Amino acid sequence: MVWLPLLVPFLAGPAGRRLVSCLPPRQAAWLLAVSAAGFAAGSTAALALLVVPGATHLPAVAALGRLLTPLSAGPADTVVAVAITALALLLLCAALFVRGLHRRWTQLGRAKRLAARTDGELLVLADGSPDAYALPGRPGRIVVTAGMLRALSAAEREALLAHERAHLRGRHHLFTAVTELSALCHPALGALREPLVYALERWADEDAAHAVGDRRLTARAIGKAALAARGAGRRPEPALAATAGPVPRRVAALLAPAAPRPRTLPKPGTAIAATLLICLTLSTASDLDAATDLHTSIEVAQGELRSP
């Protein structure tokens, strides 16, 4: 059972790509981020559980646990080899996670310093290259260049700003941070980043269309902004922009007739969401079952219980 949490994350990518086409973007984004965090926690716990049996073959560990014999989970050589491999992977994941967390913190610090250049919500850069993005922080800022302001009409500018405002209001940078850090714990979870970015952009698209009251105007603003920003320079790393993700697909979704808000999830979306949640539940249950078995094995090795 302990191997299951290491295998189910490989299903997350295909399920995530289907999910964003079947669920409303807000629900899809939440489910993807929660799934990424859950799968990462499950796989990390599984690696830790695989280390313990092999570690008990060390005299110091056996003495610390007051074990009369090492834990028996198979041939000694195999158990030790698995434990060494799991420990190496666990240390690698921990190092990558700490480095990723530090990198993210540093990026947010840079964003905060850039945001401090203005007291208002909007920071206009005197740059002829069209660009616009939401800069997260407390409070966040919307950064737009003079080139982007010239590229859009007044109504289109309002739609673009509404989109970036939705990113800040929804704190979408936290969703991307959770997914990126989770991918450092299990490489298969990196496949969730692309569908998550699409879900977040669609979420902001719908909020912007609702704010300006015109879906066609919002679609036109996003399309024109994406075309204008093709030669834009490098944005600060935590920034979120209306020109990100598959813009033609997003524009097509905005131009489609707005469907009434469903009281229940559509059937395909329900099935895929249920699949992800079942996989997450299986991963958690497998870790708990393996932990229970390990605890029993430790008690047997300590002489407190008889081996079944």
Side-chain angles (χ1 to χ4, degrees):
M1 293 293 287
V2 76
W3 296 99
L4 194 59
L6 298 173
L7 298 176
V8 291
F10 288 98
L11 300 175
R17 286 190 289 272
R18 290 289 305 279
L19 189 74
V20 294
S21 300
C22 302
L23 283 188
R26 184 192 300 264
Q27 288 90 325
W30 272 103
L31 185 55
L32 288 172
V34 169
S35 298
F39 286 134
S43 63
T44 302
L47 287 176
L49 290 169
L50 286 170
V51 170
V52 177
T56 61
H57 287 263
L58 295 174
V61 175
L64 183 64
R66 294 176 298 175
L67 304 179
L68 302 179
T69 59
L71 300 186
S72 57
D77 292 344
T78 302
V79 171
V80 172
V82 169
I84 292 173
T85 303
L87 179 61
L89 291 173
L90 197 60
L91 292 175
L92 176 62
C93 290
L96 291 174
F97 186 88
V98 170
R99 189 177 70 174
L101 195 62
H102 178 266
R103 179 171 174 264
R104 195 81 185 181
W105 186 264
T106 302
Q107 291 167 350
L108 286 174
R110 292 172 183 167
K112 184 177 180 180
R113 289 192 293 272
L114 179 58
R117 292 167 57 179
T118 180
D119 294 329
E121 176 192 48
L122 189 63
L123 173 61
V124 179
L125 301 179
D127 188 344
S129 177
D131 200 8
Y133 49 86
L135 201 61
R138 290 183 176 273
R141 297 285 188 265
I142 298 172
V143 180
V144 61
T145 65
M148 181 62 81
L149 294 177
R150 288 194 297 267
L152 304 179
S153 67
E156 291 165 348
R157 287 197 295 268
E158 183 55 37
L160 181 67
L161 295 179
H163 176 103
E164 306 301 353
R165 197 174 291 122
H167 279 317
L168 296 177
R169 184 172 57 249
R171 301 189 67 75
H172 291 173
H173 68 287
L174 296 180
F175 290 79
T176 59
V178 166
T179 306
E180 288 173 358
L181 291 174
S182 297
L184 299 177
C185 299
H186 196 297
L189 297 176
L192 290 178
R193 174 170 172 75
E194 183 179 338
L196 177 69
V197 168
Y198 175 73
L200 293 176
E201 293 302 331
R202 284 286 298 121
W203 180 353
D205 289 344
E206 292 297 329
D207 281 3
H210 179 75
V212 301
D214 190 335
R215 298 177 66 83
R216 186 169 293 275
L217 169 64
T218 305
R220 187 170 66 248
I222 291 170
K224 287 180 65 174
L227 289 173
R230 283 184 299 178
R234 186 180 179 88
R235 300 185 183 105
E237 193 64 30
L240 291 158
T243 55
V247 174
R249 185 180 172 192
R250 290 166 47 208
V251 169
L254 282 169
L255 293 177
R261 181 168 296 183
R263 294 184 180 180
T264 59
L265 296 178
K267 289 184 179 180
T270 301
I272 299 172
T275 300
L276 264 180
L277 291 175
I278 289 172
C279 288
L280 194 57
T281 302
L282 284 175
S283 176
T284 304
S286 298
D287 278 331
L288 291 175
D289 183 69
T292 301
D293 286 347
L294 181 63
H295 182 264
T296 302
S297 299
I298 290 174
E299 290 185 325
V300 170
Q302 289 174 333
E304 298 180 7
L305 291 177
R306 289 186 177 181
S307 179

